[in-house]
Amino acid sequence: MDIRIEEPYWLLLLIPAAMYMVFTWRVSGQRMMGKGTILFVLRSLAVIALIFALTSPYITSRANEEQILFVVDRSVSVGGAAEKADDWIAESLKERKANQFIGLYSFAGSFRTDVKLTNSDIALPEMQELPDGDSTDIAKAIDLAAAIAKDKVATRIVLLTDGLETAGSVEQLLPKYTGGRVQIDTVLLEREETADASIAVFDTPATAYEGEQQLLHVEVESSTRTMGELIITQNDAEIIREPVKLEPGNNRFSFRHAATGDGLLKYEAKLVVPEDAILENNRMLAITMLERSPRVLIVQTGRNPSAIPKLLDSRSIDVNVIDAAELPESLSGYIGYGAIIFDNVPGHQVGENKMNVIEQAVKNFGIGFMMVGGDESFGLGGYFKSPIERLLPVEMELKGKEQIPSLGLVIVMDRSGSMSGGKIILAREAAARSVELLRDDDTFGFIAFDDQVWEVIPIGPVGNKDEAIEKILSVPANGGTNIFPGLLKAYEDLAGSTLQRKHIILLTDGQSPMPPDYEEVIEEGRNQQITLSTVAIGADADQTLLEELAEGGGGRFYDVIDESTVPAILTRETSMMTRTYIEDEPFYMTVAGIPLWSSLFAEGIPQMNAYIATTPKQTATIVGESHKQDPILAEWMYGLGRTIAFTSDATGKWSGDMARWANYPEFWNTAVARLLPSYREVPYIIAHEGGGTYTVTDSSRKAAFLDIAVVDESGREIPFTAEPLAPGKMRVTVDADPGLVFFGVSDDQGGLFEAGVSVPYSEEYTFSKPNERLLEKIADRTDGELLEDPARAFRNHPYKSGERTPIMEWLILSALLLFFIDITVRRFGLLKGFSSKRVLKPIVEELPTEQDSIAELLKAKKKR
């Protein structure tokens, strides 16, 4: 047992304390006897106890327990050396002592426990790859291993790694483990050299003009002399394929290519080399933005061709027209445009996935969006609760408007095993949205079927919508497919009712035989005013049968290839049944608010025929409204982008005299001008620092604050960390897989900038020599060793384990007790009868008092 102190510098207080005690003794004239001596000793002991309490003293009880933690790097850069690490550990375990606990852990970007800390014998388990092997965070691995170890016990972490960290900084962590109970031994792991070639650099111009010759520069690192093939694509179309001869080291290649295309150009370089060790480092992306006039994307359908392109100024605006089914699925397909206009486009021809991408383009990259009305737009287009509704300044649901007095709706949904996965999830979500559109007193039923009928919600008033939605969302996928019994049940539920509208929606992805009399059931339902719409999900559905059912049932047939369109279909079907959206009586629009708009109508407002009723959102700006105070033209800002809703049409069928109005072309050019974002003339500089880290800098030095958004090609937001470095400058680290990501940058000056950047492959996929110097530093700073002999991992630890018992509180309590005794003795005179003859038999009888000390001494001398 030892007594130790943690803060010895407090002992310096003993010097002034001792000086004060000596001074007090001499001034009071006291001697080593009598009552005064005892009081002096009590007070001195109390002061000494307090000073020792300040040093944080503790008592240690000795123990010989030790714990050895093996922490193994299993990142990509280690390669097959991780297996050698397992052999090294197995060899070292032969030298394990009885007092030594052991644990086994693996790390890359994350940390995993393979064998918990134990004093039992262990067998090495079969090691699995870590999911984030393209990263190495040594600092986190050491910190987590030390946290797992028992406190107050001698600990040795045996770190087996190549020292090539790609995340974190172990050097910043080392002071935490210097001179403590934790030693860190290191073992160098070195991957076997194999033939590998990798693309190290791929550069293209940041901007270019159409037709301009661009320089495409590629650098390839090769470990051996070999032949290969270099392929370069532009927007996934091959433009260059060249055989290349590679020498050991750096190889440089340059190509010239005329820039063609629209907006953002995505280039990809691919290297094909025989017997290449690592394939992940054989591709790299680069981005070039073509400088052109503002571009507007107008989306139409074959059924509803758009009249807008002919009305726009083609000299100043580059107009592209596309069918809704051909909309891009990735964000790069929209970044080159300044605005997107949906002209009477139904939601089921777009799909939720593309809607999500468009929402990100508007919200984070400032691209404008406009929806134009028609009989397949807004609520009639199935946009309720969709990403497009979120970005528009109006809602599809009609609040406070007259609705159809009575409705009966039954949804019949296939829940067979083939519907599992995304199909059943989207189908349930679609049915839930339909419930939200219903009123509490509407009649609703929900039937699921496999090879039998499941009445999930019996037909009746909707009542509590939350309970109905919960039941729908809990329907699993299982079993076979038998369509007719479920459909028959729906017809039976609605038969004989006096509801004004009765509708059935059937969703299935399969096929099943129908009884001979099924057409009679459909016809009888039709006679009772029951309509039927069908949705065929996927290529395996019986499109012919379902189309016949919809035609016979007086409804609509939807052939769905993209599952994400299902919610829009059911929303559209429900909206058409539940509400009268089209207001078709002539009216004059009331215009107010924004001067840019109102100036167009200075000489009069033309008469209009019809529009789709919507509800304005709370913060929307109503530019024009109908005689019923419904929005005709509304706008607002959604994130960085402006969006506009025009609830009449562009063809003249609904817009009436407005389509023949002299300012009609100017109306649409004004709309586009409102939509186009205000991009900075001088763009931000986005510099790549390495890995997933970039520096965003305002080259004009005018911005103080930056707001940054990062998304991938699918429109999903990418996690990132942002660190302000200076006004108008920020370091951004993105957590994304290799590929293309998009930065949206806005500032406090109203500036807006967008750019695509390439996230390169991880440094784990490059051949680098192990960082032996780092391993030596780790071992040296923590009193460990750079090990070669496995037996050394189980050498005796210099730190002696044991329990630490603090005694500071006891010393403080002792000091207080001594002070209490001192005060009690002085106050109550408990040593009043104390004399030197009775205790020490001294020469003198008692200590003199201040009044007669000299006289008493002389008298005593005469008597002797």
Side-chain angles (χ1 to χ4, degrees):
M1 182 179 293
D2 294 334
I3 297 179
R4 300 186 181 186
I5 58 177
E6 288 187 348
E7 301 176 30
Y9 48 83
W10 287 108
L11 293 176
L12 294 173
L13 292 176
L14 289 173
I15 297 174
M19 295 173 63
Y20 178 75
M21 292 175 188
V22 171
F23 173 76
T24 302
W25 176 264
R26 290 182 175 178
V27 169
S28 62
Q30 301 292 336
R31 298 293 184 267
M32 291 298 296
M33 58 195 69
K35 173 182 176 182
T37 301
I38 294 175
L39 295 176
F40 181 81
V41 170
L42 287 173
R43 187 160 299 180
S44 298
L45 290 174
V47 171
I48 293 171
L50 283 176
I51 292 174
F52 272 98
L54 291 173
T55 64
S56 299
Y58 59 91
I59 298 173
T60 60
S61 56
R62 293 291 186 180
N64 64 347
E65 182 180 332
E66 297 179 1
Q67 45 193 359
I68 315 297
L69 289 78
F70 292 95
V71 181
V72 184
D73 185 350
R74 300 194 187 277
S75 63
V76 172
S77 64
V78 173
E83 297 178 3
K84 295 182 179 179
D86 295 338
D87 296 337
W88 194 95
I89 294 171
E91 183 65 25
S92 70
L93 288 173
K94 297 176 182 178
E95 304 299 323
R96 178 187 176 190
K97 301 178 180 64
N99 65 320
Q100 293 174 326
F101 286 64
I102 59 170
L104 181 58
Y105 309 90
S106 297
F107 76 95
S110 59
F111 187 83
R112 182 183 70 198
T113 299
D114 297 317
V115 176
K116 293 182 178 179
L117 195 63
T118 178
N119 61 351
S120 305
D121 293 334
I122 66 166
L124 294 182
E126 183 178 349
M127 300 299 174
Q128 304 295 326
E129 292 184 359
L130 288 169
D132 53 356
D134 57 355
S135 176
T136 302
D137 195 338
I138 298 175
K140 182 167 74 174
I142 291 175
D143 231 10
L144 290 175
I148 289 172
K150 297 178 183 178
D151 194 17
K152 304 173 184 177
V153 177
T155 302
R156 177 175 295 119
I157 297 174
V158 182
L159 178 69
L160 297 92
T161 180
D162 57 6
L164 300 174
E165 57 180 346
T166 59
S169 174
V170 70
E171 291 194 42
Q172 295 181 5
L173 184 71
L174 291 180
K176 180 178 178 180
Y177 297 103
T178 300
R181 65 179 178 84
V182 179
Q183 283 186 334
I184 304 177
D185 288 350
T186 55
V187 179
L188 182 66
L189 298 182
E190 189 168 4
R191 178 167 56 186
E192 293 181 1
E193 290 191 12
T194 54
D196 181 68
S198 62
I199 298 178
V201 175
F202 180 37
D203 285 332
T204 63
T207 59
Y209 291 95
E210 187 171 14
E212 178 185 359
Q213 289 288 326
Q214 299 181 78
L215 180 65
L216 313 181
H217 177 68
V218 184
E219 293 184 18
V220 177
E221 294 285 344
S222 180
S223 61
T224 59
R225 181 180 289 107
T226 185
M227 293 294 296
E229 191 173 41
L230 190 60
I231 303 168
I232 299 178
T233 63
Q234 175 189 304
N235 292 343
D236 301 323
E238 185 178 307
I239 57 173
I240 296 171
R241 180 183 287 265
E242 291 285 340
V244 292
K245 181 180 180 181
L246 302 177
E247 299 291 337
N250 185 265
N251 301 264
R252 300 185 178 188
F253 306 96
S254 296
F255 306 93
R256 290 196 173 273
H257 173 69
T260 57
D262 296 320
L264 183 141
L265 303 181
K266 178 178 68 173
Y267 290 99
E268 182 174 10
K270 301 177 183 177
L271 180 65
V272 180
V273 176
E275 299 180 358
D276 199 18
I278 302 176
L279 300 179
E280 287 82 357
N281 58 20
N282 288 7
R283 61 186 294 268
M284 191 171 286
L285 293 169
I287 301 298
T288 297
M289 182 68 76
L290 280 190
E291 298 288 348
R292 296 182 59 180
S293 301
R295 300 174 65 225
V296 176
L297 179 65
I298 296 179
V299 185
Q300 63 178 18
T301 63
R303 182 175 177 271
N304 303 309
S306 178
I308 299 173
K310 296 178 182 179
L311 300 170
L312 297 179
D313 185 0
S314 59
R315 294 169 299 176
S316 58
I317 301 173
D318 184 8
V319 179
N320 283 18
V321 181
I322 191 174
D323 192 84
E326 298 174 359
L327 278 168
E329 296 184 0
S330 63
L331 190 61
S332 58
Y334 299 96
I335 289 297
Y337 293 100
I340 303 168
I341 300 176
F342 273 26
D343 188 1
N344 197 18
V345 174
H348 68 270
Q349 292 199 22
V350 181
E352 292 273 316
N353 294 337
K354 294 176 184 178
M355 291 186 198
N356 280 316
V357 175
I358 292 172
E359 182 189 18
Q360 289 297 328
V362 174
K363 181 180 179 181
N364 293 320
F365 295 91
I367 296 173
F369 182 87
M370 182 177 188
M371 178 170 279
V372 180
D375 58 1
E376 293 189 313
S377 188
F378 291 99
L380 294 178
Y383 289 101
F384 176 72
K385 289 276 186 174
S386 70
I388 295 298
E389 185 190 38
R390 287 198 295 268
L391 63 84
L392 284 173
V394 296
E395 296 178 0
M396 308 304 151
E397 187 175 7
L398 302 183
K399 298 179 179 179
K401 300 291 181 180
E402 293 183 3
Q403 301 175 341
I404 297 300
S406 59
L407 166 72
L409 175 66
V410 178
I411 297 177
V412 183
M413 187 185 76
D414 186 349
R415 53 145 282 176
S416 61
S418 59
M419 286 283 290
S420 60
K423 291 181 183 178
I424 192 72
I425 292 172
L426 287 168
R428 291 186 309 220
E429 172 64 24
R433 287 191 193 178
S434 295
V435 171
E436 292 187 56
L437 280 169
L438 299 174
R439 298 171 304 171
D440 291 345
D441 56 351
D442 282 335
T443 300
F444 176 72
F446 185 80
I447 297 170
F449 68 89
D450 42 37
D451 46 14
Q452 56 183 312
V453 177
W454 301 84
E455 192 175 23
V456 179
I457 300 177
I459 192 165
V462 174
N464 191 320
K465 291 183 181 181
D466 292 337
E467 290 183 6
I469 290 171
E470 186 177 353
K471 290 179 180 179
I472 291 170
L473 296 179
S474 64
V475 174
N478 194 22
T481 303
N482 191 0
I483 298 173
F484 184 73
L487 186 59
L488 177 61
K489 171 65 175 168
Y491 273 106
E492 291 174 348
D493 288 344
L494 290 174
S497 68
T498 58
L499 298 168
Q500 187 172 353
R501 292 189 180 181
K502 295 173 281 188
H503 191 57
I504 299 171
I505 305 174
L506 169 65
L507 297 90
T508 180
D509 71 339
Q511 305 180 20
S512 73
M514 301 292 283
D517 60 343
Y518 80 92
E519 293 179 346
E520 297 178 6
V521 175
I522 306 299
E523 185 177 354
E524 177 62 26
R526 188 75 179 272
N527 294 334
Q528 296 193 36
Q529 309 303 316
I530 302 173
T531 54
L532 169 67
S533 292
T534 59
V535 182
I537 305 175
D540 294 333
D542 192 340
Q543 284 91 350
T544 303
L545 171 64
L546 295 174
E547 189 171 6
E548 289 177 358
L549 290 174
E551 185 177 353
R556 287 152 296 279
F557 167 68
Y558 300 90
D559 186 7
V560 174
I561 301 300
D562 180 2
E563 300 164 6
S564 71
T565 63
V566 173
I569 291 171
L570 262 70
T571 299
R572 181 171 188 256
E573 283 292 308
T574 308
S575 298
M576 293 175 69
M577 290 295 106
T578 56
R579 289 156 173 78
T580 300
Y581 278 91
I582 300 175
E583 299 286 349
D584 58 357
E585 57 182 285
F587 69 96
Y588 288 92
M589 178 173 61
T590 302
V591 179
I594 300 173
L596 191 64
W597 285 113
S598 57
S599 62
L600 292 174
F601 301 92
E603 297 182 2
I605 299 173
Q607 187 182 65
M608 303 175 73
N609 296 333
Y611 64 92
I612 291 185
T614 59
T615 301
K617 292 180 180 176
Q618 188 172 1
T619 57
T621 299
I622 308 301
V623 178
E625 63 181 11
S626 73
H627 59 298
K628 293 185 176 181
Q629 297 185 333
D630 290 326
I632 304 299
L633 183 64
E635 65 175 52
W636 76 340
M637 294 297 295
Y638 184 72
L640 301 179
R642 185 182 304 278
T643 68
I644 298 175
F646 180 57
T647 59
S648 190
D649 76 344
T651 64
K653 181 180 177 181
W654 288 7
S655 50
D657 291 345
M658 189 175 185
R660 295 179 289 275
W661 177 44
N663 284 346
Y664 195 50
E666 189 61 26
F667 173 86
W668 291 105
N669 283 291
T670 299
V672 170
R674 296 289 295 169
L675 292 174
L676 292 176
S678 57
Y679 289 114
R680 297 290 295 260
E681 293 181 0
V682 180
Y684 284 87
I685 299 172
I686 300 180
H688 185 218
E689 291 189 356
T693 302
Y694 302 82
T695 301
V696 182
T697 307
D698 175 21
S699 58
S700 68
R701 300 185 180 181
K702 295 179 180 179
F705 304 101
L706 304 181
D707 187 18
I708 295 177
V710 185
V711 299
D712 64 11
E713 284 200 89
S714 299
R716 291 188 296 268
E717 294 188 4
I718 299 295
F720 70 92
T721 57
E723 176 190 359
L725 301 177
K729 186 174 183 180
M730 185 172 288
R731 178 182 290 120
V732 179
T733 302
V734 300
D735 181 13
D737 295 329
L740 187 62
V741 299
F742 297 91
F743 278 59
V745 185
S746 59
D747 59 34
D748 56 337
Q749 303 298 311
L752 180 63
F753 177 64
E754 62 183 27
V757 299
S758 172
V759 178
Y761 55 80
S762 169
E763 295 175 19
E764 295 285 337
Y765 296 109
T766 60
F767 267 108
S768 302
K769 292 183 178 180
N771 191 348
E772 187 173 357
R773 179 178 167 276
L774 178 63
L775 300 189
E776 290 175 348
K777 180 179 287 188
I778 293 172
D780 181 63
R781 295 279 297 276
T782 60
D783 298 325
E785 296 181 6
L786 180 60
L787 300 180
E788 293 184 2
D789 181 8
R792 293 287 296 165
F794 288 97
R795 68 189 184 278
N796 291 329
H797 199 294
Y799 180 88
K800 298 305 179 184
S801 301
E803 292 293 329
R804 292 171 46 165
T805 305
I807 58 173
M808 178 175 31
E809 293 83 355
W810 291 103
L811 288 173
I812 294 174
L813 184 61
S814 299
L816 291 174
L817 185 61
L818 290 170
F819 274 122
F820 177 76
I821 294 173
D822 179 11
I823 294 170
T824 302
V825 169
R826 289 176 178 273
R827 178 70 179 81
F828 297 103
L830 298 180
L831 298 179
K832 187 174 181 180
F834 181 86
S835 68
S836 56
K837 291 182 180 180
R838 295 167 57 188
V839 180
L840 300 176
K841 298 181 180 179
I843 299 175
V844 296
E845 293 181 356
E846 61 180 41
L847 292 172
T849 63
E850 292 182 1
Q851 293 81 2
D852 57 359
S853 57
I854 297 175
E856 288 293 328
L857 288 171
L858 293 174
K859 186 177 179 180
K861 188 175 181 181
K862 290 179 179 179
K863 287 182 178 180
R864 290 175 182 172

